Amino acid sequence: MISSVPSRLIFAASLLVAGFSSVNAQAQAAAPVRVAIVGLVHGHVQGFLHNLASHPEITLVGISDPDPALRQKYITKTHLSEDLFFATEAEMLKKTHPQAILVYTSIAGHRAAIEEAAPLHIAAMVEKPLATTVEDALAIQALSEKYNVPVLTNYETTWYNSNTAAVKMLEEGKIGDLRKLVVHDGHEGPKEIHVDPEFFKWLTDPKENGAGAMFDFGCYGVDLATWIMRGELPTTVTAVALQLKPQIYPKVDDDSTIVLTYPHAQAILQGSWNWPFARKDMEVYGATGYVDTLYEDAAPGAKLRMRLTGEKGEHVETAPALTAPQNDSLNYLAAVLGGSLKPQHDLTSLDTNIAVVRILDAARRSAQTGKTIYLAREVAAAK
C-alpha cells in the first residue's frame, strides 16, 4: 500500500503535465490570425474595421494605400495607430508578415495585390468579384496554385442564412428539381446612397470595376447560380445593360439583366443601381414548389417565403442561424488558414469564382454585341 501512493502521485502529475501541454497546444493553435489590409478605396473596408473588435481571432497588423490623404482620413476616422499605415504593400508585407491580405482596392487592382503577396506565401481574400477580366482571374489562379496559397472572394450574401436555407431545401428535394432561379441585387445607385468619393471614382470606371451595375451587383447572382449549379458553366449567356441615368453614370451601365441557360434550368440575374430601395433577395423555383428569401430579414432571424407540394398557399418560416466558420468572412478565413476548412465548390472558393468571372465576361460581351454567348462550348473549345 505504501509503495502505491507515489505511483498514484506520479500518474496524477503526468496527467497534470499532459493537461498543461494540451492547454498550451490549444492556445498556440488559437493564436490570432495576422491580417493586413491592401487598399482603402473600397467602401467595404469600413465594415471590416467596424467588425474587427468582435473578432479576437483576427489581428490587424498593417494597412497600405498609396494616397497619403486617404491614409490620414482613416487614421482620423478609426483612431488606429499611424504605425499601422504604409504607403506601399511591399513595405507593409516586409515589416508586418501577415498570414493573409484583405484586398480593398478597385477590382482591377486585385491581381497586383496578389502578385505581391502570393510569392511570400500569404493568402488573400478579395471583395467581390474576383477580377474584371478572365485573363486576370486565370493569372490569380496560377499564383494560387504555384505558391499553394488560398485566394478567396468575399460576398455579403454568402453569409445570409436565408440563402443557405433556401438552397438546402432545394438539395433535400423539398421543391423538386431546379427549374428557375431569379436573383435581385442592388440599390438606388452609388451617388444616390452617397458612397465616398474614392469609392465612387472607380465604381464608375469600366476598367477599374469591369462594368457598372452588371459587375457591382450582377456578380452576386452569378456567384449564387454557380454555387447552386455546382460549378457547371451555363450553356448560354445573354445580357442586356442599360444607362437609365447617363448624366450620373456616363461611362458604365446602371441597370443589367443576365440570363443563363443550363440544360434543365434557367437563371435570371438582375443587378441594378436603379432599384427604388436596396435589395438582395432570391427566388428559387423547383418542379414541385418554390422558396423565396426576404432581404429585409437578411440578418439572423431571416425569413423564407415558400409554397410546397400539396399546400394551398404560401407560408413563411425562419431560416436557421448559420454556425461558425460558415457564418461570416473572418471566421471562414481563420478556418481556412487553420486547415480545418478547404475552400472548394462554395460561394467563396477560387474555382467557383473563376467561373463567375467567365460568366461576367460573357455577359459584358453579350451586352456590348447584342449576341448570345455560348459559354460552355466556347470554354471547351479553348482547352
Side-chain angles (χ1 to χ4, degrees), residues 105-307:
T105 63
S106 71
I107 308 307
H110 290 173
R111 177 178 175 176
I114 294 166
E115 285 174 338
E116 291 272 10
L120 300 175
H121 301 283
I122 297 170
M125 177 174 275
V126 304
E127 290 300 290
K128 56 78 191 173
L130 172 66
T132 61
T133 66
V134 173
E135 178 186 358
D136 279 1
L138 294 178
I140 289 169
Q141 182 182 43
L143 288 164
S144 175
E145 292 173 353
K146 180 178 180 178
Y147 297 105
N148 193 29
V149 291
V151 176
L152 310 171
T153 304
N154 181 40
Y155 297 78
E156 177 188 325
T157 46
T158 298
W159 322 112
Y160 286 10
N161 52 339
S162 54
N163 286 341
T164 295
V167 174
K168 185 177 180 182
M169 290 183 65
L170 173 66
E171 292 175 341
E172 291 176 346
K174 293 182 178 179
I175 61 172
D177 293 336
L178 180 67
R179 290 293 183 261
K180 189 183 296 289
L181 175 70
V182 185
V183 185
H184 314 100
D185 289 292
H187 50 47
E188 300 92 320
K191 182 177 181 180
E192 290 83 348
I193 67 168
H194 310 295
V195 302
D196 288 332
E198 66 274 7
F199 194 12
F200 184 86
K201 182 179 179 180
W202 70 259
L203 268 179
T204 56
D205 183 315
K207 289 189 176 180
E208 294 300 315
N209 189 33
M214 177 183 289
F215 269 52
D216 186 33
F217 281 114
C219 67
Y220 287 103
V222 174
D223 185 50
L224 287 163
T226 303
W227 172 51
I228 291 169
M229 298 304 296
R230 300 175 182 174
E232 179 184 355
L233 288 175
T235 306
T236 67
V237 179
T238 309
V240 176
L242 300 177
Q243 282 184 304
L244 299 178
K245 295 179 284 193
Q247 71 281 11
I248 303 175
Y249 309 110
K251 297 180 180 179
V252 294
D253 62 276
D254 53 61
D255 191 85
S256 68
T257 299
I258 303 171
V259 179
L260 311 180
T261 65
Y262 300 87
H264 303 288
Q266 179 187 77
I268 303 168
L269 317 171
Q270 300 179 348
S272 181
W273 291 343
N274 281 290
W275 296 114
F277 308 101
R279 65 185 306 184
K280 288 190 178 78
D281 55 85
M282 177 173 69
E283 303 168 5
V284 187
Y285 297 93
T288 62
Y290 65 83
V291 55
D292 301 344
T293 67
L294 305 181
Y295 175 59
E296 62 267 25
D297 294 310
K303 302 293 191 301
L304 302 172
R305 182 177 57 223
M306 66 190 72
R307 183 174 178 182

Side-chain angles (χ1 to χ4, degrees), residues 59-110:
T59 296
L60 178 63
V61 298
I63 300 172
S64 70
D65 193 279
D67 185 342
L70 193 53
R71 294 198 302 273
Q72 186 57 52
K73 172 183 174 177
Y74 274 87
I75 291 169
T76 303
K77 178 184 288 190
T78 64
H79 305 292
L80 291 170
S81 169
E82 290 188 28
D83 294 339
L84 280 176
F85 289 80
F86 297 84
T88 68
E89 179 185 356
E91 180 189 11
M92 178 183 68
L93 297 181
K94 181 179 179 180
K95 292 186 176 179
T96 64
H97 308 290
Q99 294 166 264
I101 56 169
L102 307 178
V103 186
Y104 292 98
T105 63
S106 71
I107 308 307
H110 290 173

